[in-house]
Amino acid sequence: MGAENVFVPQVQRVWLAPVGTTAPEGPTIAMPTGWYDIGLFTPDSLNWATDPQFEEARAAQSNFPVRRWQTEDAATLEVDLLEWSLNSFRAVYGGGTIEEVTPTGDPTPPSYFKFTPPAIGSRTEVAACLELGDGLKRLRRIIPRCEQAEGVEQGFDRAAASTLPLRLSVLGSDVGAPYYDLISGTWAAFDPPTGP
């Protein structure tokens, strides 16, 4: 063990797709049809967090819990998007609709786009893939179901790019893992042990 196991993610991408889209079958193959790269994001905003919840049993004979069990789990993926597009708006607002409006008048004003965020109860679930790479070491974290579950807070500073905060909360189901990692075979430290 040594410096070869230090991971510096020089490659960082976040892919989104409709729920049910075929996931990639490895950490380095081309992404299957239906996935799209959500685009540029700020260099310090990519974050993954888990939040397990526990209950404890205490006894008069111990100052420490005598039993602890997990009751819930949660995980989130977040980035601050730099690119403003229909895909990024839908991702950040949890869905929504876009329409092109052609106003009337003489002379005819130019057409424009109208984006409407989703109504309560109309948020759209998505699948997500976090892709990280450091040389030959590659990892893809696959999230079959997630949803934007926070409000959107934006700043509009004249001296800085305005970002779109993407905050995805992992959703579970009764089939399959809520998320899993695909790790390249060139990453020897993950080679499963052999023997007893």
Side-chain angles (χ1 to χ4, degrees), residues 57-113:
R58 293 191 167 270
Q61 294 79 9
S62 174
N63 292 330
F64 294 89
V66 293
R67 177 93 190 268
R68 178 178 287 122
W69 62 96
Q70 186 174 346
T71 57
E72 296 179 29
D73 210 347
T76 55
L77 171 65
E78 60 182 49
V79 294
D80 292 334
L81 303 176
L82 285 165
E83 293 187 60
W84 288 37
S85 68
L86 177 56
N87 281 340
S88 61
F89 263 57
R90 282 184 173 156
V92 165
Y93 283 96
T97 58
I98 190 86
E99 61 182 297
E100 185 173 3
V101 178
T102 304
T104 58
D106 189 21
T108 303
S111 63
Y112 59 91
F113 301 111

Side-chain angles (χ1 to χ4, degrees), residues 90-151:
R90 282 184 173 156
V92 165
Y93 283 96
T97 58
I98 190 86
E99 61 182 297
E100 185 173 3
V101 178
T102 304
T104 58
D106 189 21
T108 303
S111 63
Y112 59 91
F113 301 111
K114 178 182 176 183
F115 174 77
T116 304
I120 293 175
S122 299
R123 286 185 174 254
T124 304
E125 295 178 10
V126 294
C129 172
L130 168 61
E131 183 174 0
L132 302 172
D134 181 7
L136 296 177
K137 293 179 278 196
R138 297 289 171 146
L139 178 142
R140 282 181 175 157
R141 178 160 293 156
I142 308 296
I143 307 168
R145 294 178 59 225
C146 56
E147 182 178 61
Q148 173 78 0
E150 290 188 21

